[in-house]
Coordinates of all heavy atoms in Angstrom, one line a residue:
G1 N 0.8 -1.2 0.0 CA 0.0 0.0 0.0 C 0.8 1.2 0.0 O 2.1 1.2 -0.2
A2 N 0.2 2.4 0.2 CA 0.8 3.7 0.2 C 1.9 3.8 1.3 O 2.9 4.5 1.2 CB -0.2 4.8 0.3
A3 N 1.6 3.2 2.5 CA 2.5 3.4 3.6 C 3.8 2.6 3.4 O 4.8 3.0 4.1 CB 1.8 2.9 4.9
A4 N 3.8 1.7 2.5 CA 5.1 0.9 2.3 C 6.2 1.8 1.7 O 7.3 1.6 2.1 CB 4.8 -0.3 1.4
G5 N 5.8 2.7 0.9 CA 6.8 3.6 0.3 C 7.4 4.6 1.3 O 8.5 5.1 1.2
L6 N 6.7 4.9 2.4 CA 7.1 5.9 3.4 C 7.6 5.2 4.6 O 7.8 5.8 5.6 CB 6.0 6.8 3.7 CG 5.4 7.6 2.6 CD1 4.2 8.5 3.0 CD2 6.5 8.6 2.0
Q7 N 7.9 3.9 4.6 CA 8.3 3.2 5.8 C 9.6 3.7 6.4 O 9.7 3.8 7.6 CB 8.4 1.7 5.4 CG 8.7 0.8 6.6 CD 8.7 -0.7 6.2 OE1 8.5 -1.0 5.1 NE2 8.9 -1.5 7.2
G8 N 10.5 4.1 5.6 CA 11.8 4.5 6.1 C 11.7 5.9 6.6 O 12.6 6.4 7.3
F9 N 10.6 6.7 6.4 CA 10.5 8.0 6.9 C 9.5 8.2 8.0 O 9.1 9.3 8.3 CB 10.0 8.9 5.7 CG 11.0 9.0 4.6 CD1 10.8 8.2 3.4 CD2 12.1 9.8 4.7 CE1 11.7 8.3 2.4 CE2 13.0 9.9 3.6 CZ 12.8 9.1 2.5
A10 N 9.2 7.1 8.7 CA 8.3 7.1 9.8 C 9.0 7.8 11.0 O 10.2 7.7 11.2 CB 7.9 5.7 10.2
V11 N 8.2 8.6 11.8 CA 8.7 9.3 13.0 C 8.6 8.3 14.2 O 7.5 7.8 14.5 CB 7.9 10.6 13.2 CG1 8.4 11.2 14.5 CG2 8.1 11.5 12.0
D12 N 9.7 8.1 14.8 CA 9.7 7.3 16.0 C 9.4 8.2 17.2 O 10.3 8.8 17.7 CB 11.0 6.6 16.2 CG 11.0 5.5 17.3 OD1 9.9 5.3 17.9 OD2 12.0 4.9 17.5
K13 N 8.2 8.2 17.7 CA 7.8 9.1 18.7 C 8.4 8.7 20.1 O 8.7 9.6 20.9 CB 6.3 9.2 18.9 CG 5.6 9.8 17.7 CD 4.1 9.8 17.8 CE 3.5 10.4 16.5 NZ 2.1 10.4 16.5
T14 N 8.7 7.5 20.3 CA 9.3 7.1 21.5 C 10.8 7.5 21.6 O 11.3 7.9 22.6 CB 9.3 5.5 21.7 OG1 9.9 4.9 20.6 CG2 7.9 5.0 21.8
F15 N 11.4 7.5 20.4 CA 12.8 8.1 20.4 C 12.8 9.6 20.6 O 13.7 10.1 21.3 CB 13.5 7.7 19.0 CG 14.8 8.4 18.9 CD1 15.9 7.9 19.6 CD2 15.0 9.5 18.0 CE1 17.2 8.5 19.5 CE2 16.2 10.1 17.9 CZ 17.3 9.6 18.6
L16 N 11.9 10.3 20.0 CA 11.9 11.7 20.1 C 11.6 12.2 21.5 O 12.0 13.2 22.0 CB 10.9 12.4 19.1 CG 11.3 12.2 17.7 CD1 10.2 12.8 16.8 CD2 12.6 12.9 17.4
S17 N 10.8 11.4 22.2 CA 10.5 11.7 23.6 C 11.5 11.2 24.6 O 11.5 11.6 25.8 CB 9.1 11.2 24.0 OG 9.1 9.8 23.9
S18 N 12.5 10.4 24.1 CA 13.6 10.0 25.0 C 14.6 11.0 25.2 O 14.6 12.1 24.5 CB 14.2 8.7 24.5 OG 15.0 9.0 23.3
L19 N 15.6 10.8 26.1 CA 16.6 11.8 26.4 C 17.5 12.1 25.1 O 17.8 13.2 24.8 CB 17.5 11.4 27.5 CG 18.6 12.3 28.0 CD1 18.0 13.7 28.4 CD2 19.4 11.7 29.0
K20 N 17.8 11.0 24.4 CA 18.7 11.1 23.2 C 17.9 11.9 22.2 O 18.5 12.7 21.4 CB 19.1 9.8 22.7 CG 20.1 9.1 23.5 CD 20.6 7.8 22.9 CE 21.6 7.1 23.7 NZ 22.0 5.8 23.1
G21 N 16.6 11.7 22.0 CA 15.8 12.4 21.0 C 15.7 13.8 21.3 O 15.8 14.7 20.4
I22 N 15.5 14.2 22.6 CA 15.4 15.6 23.0 C 16.7 16.3 22.8 O 16.8 17.4 22.3 CB 14.9 15.7 24.5 CG1 13.5 15.2 24.6 CG2 15.1 17.1 25.0 CD1 13.0 15.0 26.0
L23 N 17.8 15.6 23.1 CA 19.2 16.2 22.9 C 19.4 16.4 21.4 O 20.0 17.4 21.0 CB 20.2 15.3 23.5 CG 20.3 15.3 25.0 CD1 21.3 14.3 25.5 CD2 20.6 16.7 25.5
L24 N 19.0 15.5 20.5 CA 19.2 15.6 19.1 C 18.3 16.8 18.6 O 18.9 17.6 17.8 CB 18.7 14.3 18.4 CG 18.8 14.4 16.9 CD1 20.2 14.5 16.4 CD2 18.2 13.2 16.3
E25 N 17.1 16.9 19.0 CA 16.3 18.1 18.6 C 16.9 19.4 19.0 O 16.9 20.4 18.3 CB 14.9 17.9 19.2 CG 14.1 16.8 18.7 CD 12.8 16.5 19.5 OE1 12.4 17.4 20.2 OE2 12.3 15.4 19.4

């Protein structure tokens, strides 16, 4: 389906809310 093409561009919300994700942002 359409989501298969965007699989590599998914946002990992658990990473962004972790300490490493916040430091990266």
Side-chain angles (χ1 to χ4, degrees):
L6 300 175
Q7 185 176 2
F9 296 101
V11 176
D12 188 3
K13 293 179 183 177
T14 56
F15 173 73
L16 293 177
S17 62
S18 70
L19 181 61
K20 287 183 181 180
I22 293 169
L23 289 174
L24 177 66
E25 293 169 19

